[in-house]
Amino acid sequence: MSSADKNLSVFNTDGLPDISSKKFAILVAEWNSEVTERLFEGAYQTLIQYGSSPENIERGNVPGSFELTLGAQWFADRRDVDAVIALGVVIQGETKHNDYINHAVAQGITNVSLKTGKPVIFGVLTPNTMEQALDRAGGIHGNKGDEAAMTAIKMLGLYHQIALAQSR
Ligand code: DLZ
């Protein structure tokens, strides 16, 4: 299923963990800021709606999506950070620049997540047009920021479940 067939802001919320003591970092790319600001708003409000609080959400900006990886590593390396949400928008251009950025960021974020053992969420839109991006940033297809925040919450829930089973 592509995001064109899905509303990114509609999800199953059964069995979500208590996130009131969890610390989240949200990284926001400044490229295409008219979209990334909406992604941030979606992610922030979703965390609040499901039990977080402003003092447990820290925001960091990076110039472009390419820098999300290093920013994510800096946050994930911090002992007090439980999960990182990386938000960006890479729109198809006339060059292959977008392909290089998308692949590098997807791989980089995966690496940071595996290296640190913490959820580092790929909240990067890779649309063909600005219209498609806006449709997925609070438009007709929901908000990728909401979905990224919910993914972070669910991964913390899974971690808790596994840690609990291990301690038995
Ligand atoms: C250079 C570039 C281009 C062409 N397009 C985007 C984009 O669509 N979205 C995005 O987040 N960043 C873009 N960038 C910037 C790179 O991510 C990076 O910041 C620069 O290459 C650093 O010099």
Side-chain angles (χ1 to χ4, degrees):
M1 187 189 279
S2 72
S3 63
D5 307 313
K6 180 177 165 43
N7 188 312
L8 294 160
S9 300
V10 176
F11 15 70
N12 176 1
T13 57
D14 294 346
L16 293 180
D18 175 6
I19 57 165
S20 58
S21 64
K22 301 295 179 191
K23 174 113 184 171
F24 295 87
I26 306 181
L27 269 173
V28 185
E30 290 171 350
W31 264 72
N32 301 312
S33 63
E34 65 274 40
V35 184
T36 58
E37 287 302 323
R38 295 176 197 209
L39 297 181
F40 171 74
E41 203 49 39
Y44 183 88
Q45 292 303 340
T46 299
L47 293 178
I48 297 290
Q49 183 181 347
Y50 289 97
S52 189
S53 48
E55 60 272 22
N56 279 341
I57 305 173
E58 184 172 338
R59 173 179 171 152
N61 285 0
V62 292
S65 293
F66 193 80
E67 288 74 39
L68 286 171
T69 301
L70 183 56
Q73 180 159 311
W74 286 338
F75 269 125
D77 275 342
R78 261 176 45 185
R79 292 182 62 145
D80 64 329
V81 170
D82 295 293
V84 182
I85 299 164
L87 302 175
V89 178
V90 185
I91 297 178
Q92 296 265 2
E94 291 174 355
T95 69
K96 285 196 145 291
H97 209 111
N98 59 297
D99 283 340
Y100 296 122
I101 296 172
N102 291 342
H103 291 146
V105 178
Q107 190 62 55
I109 286 193
T110 305
N111 290 345
V112 175
S113 198
L114 293 176
K115 181 176 158 231
T116 59
K118 294 181 182 178
V120 181
I121 310 302
F122 183 72
V124 179
L125 287 171
T126 58
N128 294 319
T129 64
M130 176 58 84
E131 187 187 357
Q132 287 177 347
L134 290 166
D135 285 348
R136 290 158 180 77
I140 57 168
H141 294 305
N143 192 324
K144 179 76 179 167
D146 295 2
E147 185 231 30
M150 182 52 64
T151 303
I153 295 170
K154 288 187 174 183
M155 289 305 288
L156 289 174
L158 177 63
Y159 182 79
H160 181 69
Q161 174 194 321
I162 292 169
L164 206 65
Q166 246 169 359
S167 69
R168 281 191 198 120

